[in-house]
Amino acid sequence: MPEKNAQENCYVHGYSDRECERLADQAQTLTHLLHDDTHYPAGSLVLEAGCGIGAQTIILARNSPDAHITSIDISEDSLRRAEEKVRMEGITNVTFRQGDIFALPFETGSFDHIFVCFVLEHLTEPRRALEELRPLLKEGGTLTVIEGDHGSTFFHPENADARQAVGCLVVLQKKMGGNALIGRQLYPLVASAGYSDVRVSPRMVYVDSSRPGLVEGFTKLTFTTMVEGVTEEVQKQGLMTRDAWERGIAALNRCAEPDGVFCYTFFKATARK
Amino acid sequence: MPEKNAQENCYVHGYSDRECERLADQAQTLTHLLHDDTHYPAGSLVLEAGCGIGAQTIILARNSPDAHITSIDISEDSLRRAEEKVRMEGITNVTFRQGDIFALPFETGSFDHIFVCFVLEHLTEPRRALEELRPLLKEGGTLTVIEGDHGSTFFHPENADARQAVGCLVVLQKKMGGNALIGRQLYPLVASAGYSDVRVSPRMVYVDSSRPGLVEGFTKLTFTTMVEGVTEEVQKQGLMTRDAWERGIAALNRCAEPDGVFCYTFFKATARK
């Protein structure tokens, strides 16, 4: 299954334990901001396309406890972790299934709703993925997509090395066929994939020292940790000197000081078949 | 009054008729996003520090029709325009007075609330301005500050010339002693000026083609028009070549096409004396 392996290798953040922790921290901090307006009715059939290690799955399942959620991912390893997480949380309304988003083993019109979170950024053909998903929806069914956008990042104090370090993430993701600037593009992407009633709303994570949970949970543990996660890759590819990179990381951590500010925007799209 | 003249010359956008129209368009489009949570009680005394040509004054006065608003500005010319605008709107709860924000002719504790909108970005010493305003508040009185942040701008399709063009605004404002990145800094700025209970919230203007009013009113008439407004100054100072500048402007207008997206963030701070 070459596509599966390619897909796995392309997952820019890798699958280390530290990365799994990061994803869990991120999910917790961002739960309200990203998920509070997604509730599926009792009995509805929901497809989560690309569940990864289940960070979003448990939120989805808790917010719609009487919906039936089918979560698929291309990685067997991720699915095992997701299944374990869901079992430990005592969640019983999720079924896991291995599958490729471009060749899903479901009949036309199988689902009332489809949910796609932090997946399109990793795909070479995000529009085709949305096009492939559309027939799986019943008439009038809804699509929900959530993506980040690294180019939305800004902070205080302003720092050129830190900006360049964030830019390296964009470059690396692009080299692997993904798109770290996809959040801002959700409206044209979803609309051009044939969906109607497309609505996109930005969800900015705004962090200053009056919000210590976000300083820890987002500026440091989510964002700066994610940037640090590609240190070796950036060096290997010669995208920044080691010194400049370290100054950039220090500048990002500086934004977690009492007079620092950090801003990052996710985008959430909803649409109908 | 050299300071007054310096201040006037430093107003980066200038005072042309087109600029006045731009400010009026901007005010209308952004009214809800920026002002809907500012209502002052009947009988309260409100200082609007730096009212300019009154674009925000009429919104402020309408949202708090039974408050007494004193609007000051350093420019007699702006005050005349503001007074005319307020008179034409039939608004009667505003008093205008010429004054320098660094030497205001008011007693200690004169006001219940102070409102400052799109002013700090133009000042060399924004923190000192906030410090000077603080004694004018009664104990427990509130401060509200609204500022934009040009560095928060991002768009689709991504374009390097457009980004550089926006960067020119930041450079020009800095050369004139202002700060076009001040929005993100409101939290540390207000807190360090001695206020308490500082709360900052971002107000992103998100524009895609499902929001045609914003495509016209913000992407084109407010933002791109503002950038175009400094064309000659950018050329004079050699910040960009004419060709690159024109490509940048074209790329900003491109974001107003059906598959374009435009994002800009204002910040609103509230605090107590």
Side-chain angles (χ1 to χ4, degrees), chain A residues 149 151-156 158 181 184-188 198-202 204-206 208-211 258-261 263 265 267, chain B residues 149 151-156 158 181 184-188 198-202 204-206 208-211 258-261 263 265 267:
Chain A
D149 190 311
S152 74
T153 311
F154 59 101
F155 37 78
H156 175 75
E158 183 57 81
L181 308 178
R184 74 186 72 172
Q185 300 174 34
L186 285 188
Y187 180 83
V198 185
R199 290 295 290 177
V200 172
S201 63
M204 183 187 285
V205 186
Y206 165 79
D208 64 34
S209 60
S210 72
R211 311 174 192 223
D259 63 345
V261 174
C263 302
T265 301
F267 290 84
Chain B
D149 189 310
S152 75
T153 311
F154 59 100
F155 36 78
H156 175 74
E158 181 58 80
L181 308 178
R184 75 188 72 174
Q185 300 173 35
L186 286 187
Y187 180 83
V198 184
R199 289 295 290 176
V200 172
S201 62
M204 184 188 283
V205 186
Y206 165 78
D208 64 35
S209 59
S210 72
R211 311 174 191 224
D259 63 345
V261 174
C263 302
T265 302
F267 290 83

Side-chain angles (χ1 to χ4, degrees), chain A residues 38-41 46 59-69 93:
Chain A
T38 298
H39 298 275
Y40 297 119
V46 179
I59 303 164
L60 200 62
R62 280 206 196 107
N63 285 347
S64 301
D66 300 314
H68 303 290
I69 299 165
N93 60 330

Side-chain angles (χ1 to χ4, degrees), chain B residues 43-105:
Chain B
S44 60
L45 304 174
V46 179
L47 172 65
E48 183 192 14
C51 64
I53 62 166
Q56 314 305 316
T57 311
I58 56 173
I59 303 163
L60 200 63
R62 281 205 195 106
N63 284 348
S64 302
D66 300 314
H68 303 291
I69 298 165
T70 302
S71 294
I72 64 118
D73 201 88
I74 200 160
S75 158
E76 297 275 13
D77 184 51
S78 292
L79 281 173
R80 267 192 301 275
R81 288 164 182 246
E83 278 191 289
E84 191 187 336
K85 193 190 302 274
V86 158
R87 195 174 57 241
M88 284 178 66
E89 297 285 335
I91 289 166
T92 57
N93 60 330
V94 180
T95 306
F96 289 98
R97 193 157 164 182
Q98 196 274 334
D100 179 346
I101 203 168
F102 293 105
L104 285 173

Side-chain angles (χ1 to χ4, degrees), chain B:
Chain B
M1 295 171 73
E3 184 161 2
K4 176 186 160 186
N5 291 329
Q7 213 60 48
E8 284 190 339
N9 291 336
C10 281
Y11 192 74
V12 68
H13 312 306
Y15 286 116
S16 69
D17 283 351
R18 195 173 182 205
E19 171 62 14
C20 294
E21 262 179 55
R22 190 187 71 77
L23 290 176
D25 283 331
Q26 177 175 343
Q28 195 173 20
T29 308
L30 300 175
T31 299
H32 294 296
L33 185 69
L34 300 183
H35 294 277
D36 273 6
D37 52 350
T38 300
H39 298 276
Y40 297 118
S44 60
L45 304 174
V46 179
L47 172 65
E48 183 192 14
C51 64
I53 62 166
Q56 314 305 316
T57 311
I58 56 173
I59 303 163
L60 200 63
R62 281 205 195 106
N63 284 348
S64 302
D66 300 314
H68 303 291
I69 298 165
T70 302
S71 294
I72 64 118
D73 201 88
I74 200 160
S75 158
E76 297 275 13
D77 184 51
S78 292
L79 281 173
R80 267 192 301 275
R81 288 164 182 246
E83 278 191 289
E84 191 187 336
K85 193 190 302 274
V86 158
R87 195 174 57 241
M88 284 178 66
E89 297 285 335
I91 289 166
T92 57
N93 60 330
V94 180
T95 306
F96 289 98
R97 193 157 164 182
Q98 196 274 334
D100 179 346
I101 203 168
F102 293 105
L104 285 173
F106 302 111
E107 303 285 318
T108 298
S110 291
F111 297 100
D112 298 294
H113 307 285
I114 295 180
F115 180 85
V116 186
C117 186
F118 304 147
V119 173
L120 299 184
E121 60 171 320
H122 300 293
L123 304 179
T124 312
E125 299 179 282
R127 185 167 87 179
R128 188 162 75 81
L130 294 173
E131 287 168 349
E132 294 283 341
L133 289 170
R134 194 168 163 274
L136 302 185
L137 277 175
K138 297 177 184 173
E139 286 310 315
T142 73
L143 169 76
T144 297
V145 184
I146 301 175
E147 294 289 343
D149 189 310
H150 292 354
S152 75
T153 311
F154 59 100
F155 36 78
H156 175 74
E158 181 58 80
N159 181 281
D161 292 316
R163 257 187 290 134
Q164 204 189 338
V166 176
C168 286
L169 289 185
V170 179
V171 171
L172 287 179
Q173 191 122 339
K174 194 171 181 181
K175 283 191 177 193
M176 290 189 284
N179 180 359
L181 308 178
I182 204 166
R184 75 188 72 174
Q185 300 173 35
L186 286 187
Y187 180 83
L189 200 58
V190 173
S192 68
Y195 295 81
S196 58
D197 300 339
V198 184
R199 289 295 290 176
V200 172
S201 62
R203 312 279 165 119
M204 184 188 283
V205 186
Y206 165 78
V207 191
D208 64 35
S209 59
S210 72
R211 311 174 191 224
L214 282 172
V215 173
E216 273 304 306
F218 193 80
T219 306
K220 292 166 84 168
L221 292 179
T222 297
F223 193 84
T224 307
T225 303
M226 175 178 70
V227 178
E228 283 180 302
V230 300
T231 298
E232 294 317 316
E233 196 58 31
V234 167
Q235 296 310 308
K236 213 172 85 185
Q237 302 209 16
L239 298 179
M240 273 177 88
T241 67
R242 172 73 68 171
D243 279 359
W245 178 260
E246 280 172 6
R247 286 196 305 270
I249 298 293
L252 289 174
N253 280 314
R254 171 71 184 79
C255 300
E257 297 292 308
D259 63 345
V261 174
F262 191 86
C263 302
Y264 184 94
T265 302
F266 296 90
F267 290 83
K268 184 167 185 173
T270 57
R272 294 203 169 269
K273 180 173 181 179

Side-chain angles (χ1 to χ4, degrees), chain A residues 23-24 27-28 35 48 51-60 82 85:
Chain A
L23 291 175
Q28 194 174 21
H35 294 276
E48 184 193 12
C51 64
I53 60 164
Q56 314 305 316
T57 310
I58 55 173
I59 303 164
L60 200 62
K85 195 191 299 275

